[in-house]
Amino acid sequence: MPTSRAVVLQEYNSPPAVLEFDVPAPEPGGMTVACRYGGICGTDLHLISGHLDVPIPLVLGHEGLGVVHELGDGSTHDVNGTPLAPGDTVMWASSIACGRCHACREHREPTLCEHRRTYGVNRSVDAGSPLAGSWAEFICLSPGTTVVKLPADIDPIAAMSLACAGPTMIHALWERRPVRLGETVVVQGSGPVGLAAACLAQLAGAYVIMAGGPRSRLDLARGAGIADQYVDVFDSGGPETVRKVVSKATGGRGADLVIECAGVPDAVEQGTRLVRRSGSYLVVGQYTDSGNAWFNPHQIVYRQLEVIGSWAFTGAHLNQYVGMLPALTGRFDLASLVTAFPLTAVHDALEQVAAGTVMKAVVAA
């Protein structure tokens, strides 16, 4: 039986440990995948800090890409019906909805599933296979996991650049509030979620203004061809400068759509003032509870705003993301956004993500 090193969160606010586990045979309908890359998301920092109530000990990593190692009985194809075999490169959805709870059954909202099982988030090493996170040399994928074979001509590093942010924004911009041709879109935030929002809005035919920072992140976005105009919220004079830029770009009307991807509560009040009257404000970045924000509700009424939230993504959104990778990588230099760290250097990777000195970090097993 092979063994696998894995990064385990054993207690909150302590550095994760690299431990070793046996790699079991896959379940019927499941598969074992040799991880090549496990993405580090801002959510992982919140998990380590105890900001989310998750069971520990836990193998971290909810976004990943790897090579099929062994297929379980009855596991023969990916979600699109493409045959799978050991050696194929695949990506997988981070969560499995139950299909039976009220959210799944009545509202058709699997991202709101009451019993959602998410790799690297709520699957303790004590519940089933411990190898249920992508920060490992192997991951055991359960039956019901959405698995998508990666096209042969797609660079795996480029695919990992928006592995979580891309499907998250596809959910937001496909189902919650689509981008319309010719719109002016403001993206608040220049992390991976903000970059994913900008990329998808540009592909949909929008003019995109990115309000973020620090300048190094905006320069990286510019170098990758992401967004059309940039405002450094740290060095430009703050919210008033952003309002002036947006006003000038829109003839004084305001943006058709503003997408909050910053994760900072104060961004919400600022964002409502950037939208034109009868425009839309789409909130995606407040994934963890970072506290309350003051805002003037008059702006919602006066501007007659449509205010929309969007939570997480499903296997369908991951499948759409992989299907869009040829268009995304053909237009944007996504590989330039990624910095890879060895599995044993995960602590260094986490420190750099927390400091904002890398755009997208991945651990390479």
Side-chain angles (χ1 to χ4, degrees):
M1 178 179 292
T3 61
S4 171
R5 293 178 300 170
V7 179
V8 181
L9 176 62
Q10 297 178 296
E11 55 182 298
Y12 299 128
N13 294 306
S14 294
V18 178
L19 305 180
E20 193 163 302
F21 300 92
D22 290 332
V23 180
E27 298 178 66
M31 67 185 72
T32 305
V33 174
C35 298
R36 288 187 63 185
Y37 301 110
I40 298 179
C41 179
T43 301
D44 295 311
L45 299 182
H46 290 291
L47 292 176
I48 293 169
S49 298
H51 296 163
L52 294 170
D53 184 19
V54 297
I56 53 176
L58 169 77
V59 175
L60 292 165
H62 60 272
E63 49 181 276
L65 179 150
V67 174
V68 175
H69 176 71
E70 184 178 359
L71 295 167
D73 290 342
S75 184
T76 57
H77 295 75
D78 78 350
V79 69
N80 297 307
T82 304
L84 288 178
D88 288 340
T89 300
V90 295
M91 298 183 76
W92 54 91
S94 57
S95 63
I96 305 173
C98 73
R100 300 182 303 276
C101 70
H102 191 75
C104 289
R105 187 183 66 251
E106 301 295 331
H107 297 299
R108 300 173 181 85
E109 291 283 4
T111 60
L112 305 181
C113 173
E114 298 167 17
H115 310 292
R116 195 162 163 253
R117 292 181 297 147
T118 303
Y119 293 105
V121 175
N122 63 1
R123 304 182 65 160
S124 166
V125 299
D126 300 322
S129 171
L131 295 172
S134 64
W135 297 5
E137 292 172 316
F138 288 88
I139 185 170
C140 298
L141 299 182
S142 302
T145 304
T146 297
V147 178
V148 189
K149 185 176 178 179
L150 196 72
D153 57 346
I154 297 298
D155 179 1
I157 280 286
M160 284 302 301
S161 64
L162 304 174
C164 180
T168 295
M169 284 311 310
I170 285 173
H171 176 211
L173 296 178
W174 178 271
E175 297 180 42
R176 304 299 291 155
R177 204 299 193 172
V179 177
R180 297 164 188 138
L181 188 67
E183 287 190 316
T184 297
V185 174
V186 173
V187 175
Q188 293 178 282
S190 51
V193 176
L195 267 59
C199 288
L200 293 170
Q202 285 178 279
L203 287 182
Y207 180 83
V208 177
I209 301 170
M210 178 173 287
R215 184 172 299 278
S216 59
R217 286 200 162 198
L218 296 177
D219 289 343
L220 192 57
R222 182 184 288 108
I226 300 171
D228 300 293
Q229 191 173 347
Y230 311 87
V231 188
D232 187 336
V233 299
F234 295 103
D235 294 338
S236 65
E240 185 57 36
T241 299
V242 178
R243 283 197 290 271
K244 289 179 180 178
V245 169
V246 174
S247 179
K248 183 177 180 180
T250 59
R253 292 182 298 275
D256 301 291
L257 170 64
V258 176
I259 309 172
E260 184 280 315
C261 304
V264 179
D266 286 346
V268 175
E269 194 279 333
Q270 296 166 17
T272 59
R273 296 176 181 269
L274 302 176
V275 190
R276 65 167 170 83
R277 297 187 77 177
S278 195
S280 302
Y281 190 57
L282 178 59
V283 182
V284 185
Q286 307 293 322
Y287 197 80
T288 53
D289 187 348
S290 297
N292 297 331
W294 177 92
F295 71 95
N296 187 342
H298 170 66
Q299 293 298 320
I300 296 175
V301 177
Y302 167 71
R303 296 178 187 272
Q304 197 168 293
L305 297 187
E306 179 185 38
V307 181
I308 308 148
S310 186
W311 176 260
F313 68 91
T314 69
H317 304 122
L318 174 76
N319 191 38
Q320 285 179 284
Y321 170 68
V322 175
M324 292 185 69
L325 279 171
L328 286 165
T329 57
R331 180 163 177 178
F332 308 108
D333 184 10
L334 297 186
S336 68
L337 307 177
V338 181
T339 303
F341 295 81
L343 191 69
T344 52
V346 66
H347 298 153
D348 182 29
L350 289 168
E351 288 176 359
Q352 293 203 40
V353 172
T357 54
V358 294
M359 177 64 76
K360 180 62 184 181
V362 299
V363 291

